[in-house]
Amino acid sequence: MPSSADKTQWRDLYDEVVLTGLCTGCTACIVACPFHVLGYEDNVPVQLQDDGPDVCVHGDKGCDICTRACPRFRDWEGEIDTTLFGQTRKPEEVIGRYQDLVLARATDPEALMQGQDGGVVSALLLWGLRTGEIDGACTSKLSDERLWDAEPTVVTDAAGVLATAGSRYTYAANPLALIKAAELGLSKVALVGMSCQSSVTGSLEARRLNKWRRKIAWTFGLLCSKTFTYDGLMNEIAQRELGIDLDHLVRVNIKGKLLFYTDAGDEITYSLKEAHRFTRPGCLKCPDFAAEHADISFGGVGQSEG
């Protein structure tokens, strides 16, 4: 089926998504670009050639792959809904279309301990790798360069899954790890990410970018209302206002308020309302809390103790 992205190009994506603030920085356009002329700076895609920020010689010749990959370009939501569910979301389907709601936690003690809430994402990734359902997962890890920042990564074994478990609340462009997965020869990966990132799979499918779509076996979405800028969350709030030494920070969570946990066993709270001023710009116009286009969405909202 034709899509609203057909016969468009980088100039349209730049004008309609990047400049307008619709871009979430998911990097799908960068992953899909067959000419490698798009890069990633300040959480948005940029054109790497010297012709101008909105110029692409390949687009001028008819290439429309970056716009087709984008899960924020034109009628992305309707096209993905129709492809995945056969119809667009009805007004009463506030959290999207779903088959079941389940309250669960991992039975494996290590997955439960390392996980953010119930360890279910980790448990499923471990099972998938063990059974051969997947051969890797595109997720995020703590940065090697900045304490408590996040960056995309590929994991292929149990140790990698457990090492990358948990939430950071600063942004990592997890789909960018698809490039590394392809370099490793992986062909059945799980893509784990927030709602904006979990729509990437649907965009690739709805707009027929099969080279990348067929590499994704599972799409796991994480319930998400926003992420924060690193400078705001870790520098301003954690270090300057709360006096937390990032070397001693062991976990961050949100349960109606920001919660910081240290290796001394302290729980330090901060008003979520006050933290809103550090919302990452790419999150301000996102319409999707529930990761509606994921195969399974996960979150701690409504969980009971334990």
Side-chain angles (χ1 to χ4, degrees):
M1 295 289 292
S3 78
S4 61
D6 292 351
K7 298 182 180 180
T8 55
Q9 61 138 306
W10 164 250
R11 181 178 291 109
D12 302 303
L13 186 65
Y14 182 76
D15 290 344
E16 297 178 32
V17 177
V18 178
L19 290 183
T20 61
L22 286 176
C23 180
T24 67
C26 76
T27 68
C29 58
I30 299 170
V31 171
C33 176
F35 302 106
H36 312 295
V37 297
L38 296 180
Y40 196 55
E41 295 179 8
D42 298 325
N43 292 317
V44 295
V46 295
Q47 205 275 100
L48 298 176
Q49 297 178 317
D50 297 327
D51 304 305
D54 65 342
V55 177
C56 177
V57 294
H58 306 286
D60 291 341
K61 296 176 182 177
C63 180
D64 59 3
I65 289 179
C66 63
T67 54
R68 285 162 56 197
C70 177
R72 288 297 181 269
F73 186 68
R74 297 193 178 174
D75 188 26
W76 64 274
E77 195 167 19
E79 289 168 6
I80 298 174
D81 279 352
T82 302
T83 298
L84 298 183
F85 312 125
Q87 65 184 68
T88 57
R89 183 180 65 176
K90 298 176 182 178
E92 63 269 22
E93 294 172 325
V94 178
I95 61 171
R97 297 183 61 84
Y98 64 92
Q99 291 179 311
D100 205 354
L101 298 174
V102 176
L103 186 63
R105 71 172 184 175
T107 57
D108 175 68
E110 195 168 15
L112 183 60
M113 180 179 67
Q114 296 294 332
Q116 182 69 12
D117 289 309
V120 179
V121 173
S122 298
L124 287 172
L125 294 178
L126 292 170
W127 176 82
L129 290 171
R130 187 170 63 249
T131 60
E133 292 289 325
I134 57 173
D135 54 14
C138 297
T139 181
S140 68
K141 67 172 184 175
L142 288 174
S143 172
D144 296 327
E145 298 180 0
R146 292 202 298 184
L147 287 174
W148 280 92
D149 202 0
E151 60 186 38
T153 191
V154 180
V155 296
T156 57
D157 56 23
V161 170
L162 295 173
T164 56
S167 298
R168 265 62 80 174
Y169 298 106
T170 55
Y171 193 77
N174 295 4
L176 196 59
L178 286 167
I179 296 176
K180 180 64 175 179
E183 292 172 352
L184 293 173
L186 305 182
S187 60
K188 299 183 295 182
V189 301
L191 174 60
V192 183
M194 287 78 72
S195 54
C196 56
Q197 299 170 358
S198 62
S199 289
V200 168
T201 307
S203 184
L204 296 175
E205 183 167 339
R207 292 169 173 169
R208 310 175 307 282
L209 295 180
N210 295 322
K211 172 186 175 181
W212 291 102
R213 171 62 187 94
R214 62 173 173 255
K215 296 181 185 296
I216 304 172
W218 297 348
T219 304
F220 285 175
L222 309 175
L223 303 191
C224 179
S225 61
K226 61 171 57 66
T227 57
F228 301 98
T229 65
Y230 178 86
D231 286 341
L233 183 63
M234 291 302 164
N235 291 337
E236 181 67 22
I237 294 176
Q239 295 185 92
R240 196 183 76 81
E241 295 189 32
L242 299 178
I244 298 173
D245 185 340
L246 296 187
D247 283 319
H248 297 287
L249 185 64
V250 296
R251 183 183 295 270
V252 182
N253 208 340
I254 294 179
K255 288 290 183 286
K257 52 192 172 183
L258 267 174
L259 303 168
F260 297 90
Y261 299 91
T262 71
D263 56 10
D266 298 322
E267 178 186 273
I268 303 169
T269 64
Y270 190 86
S271 166
L272 190 57
K273 182 178 180 180
E274 289 297 316
H276 286 340
R277 69 191 191 277
F278 296 119
T279 299
R280 202 176 61 93
C283 301
L284 293 173
K285 298 182 180 180
C286 178
D288 181 7
F289 166 75
E292 298 168 25
H293 297 136
D295 296 321
I296 312 176
S297 299
F298 303 84
V301 176
Q303 70 172 13
S304 58
E305 185 63 30

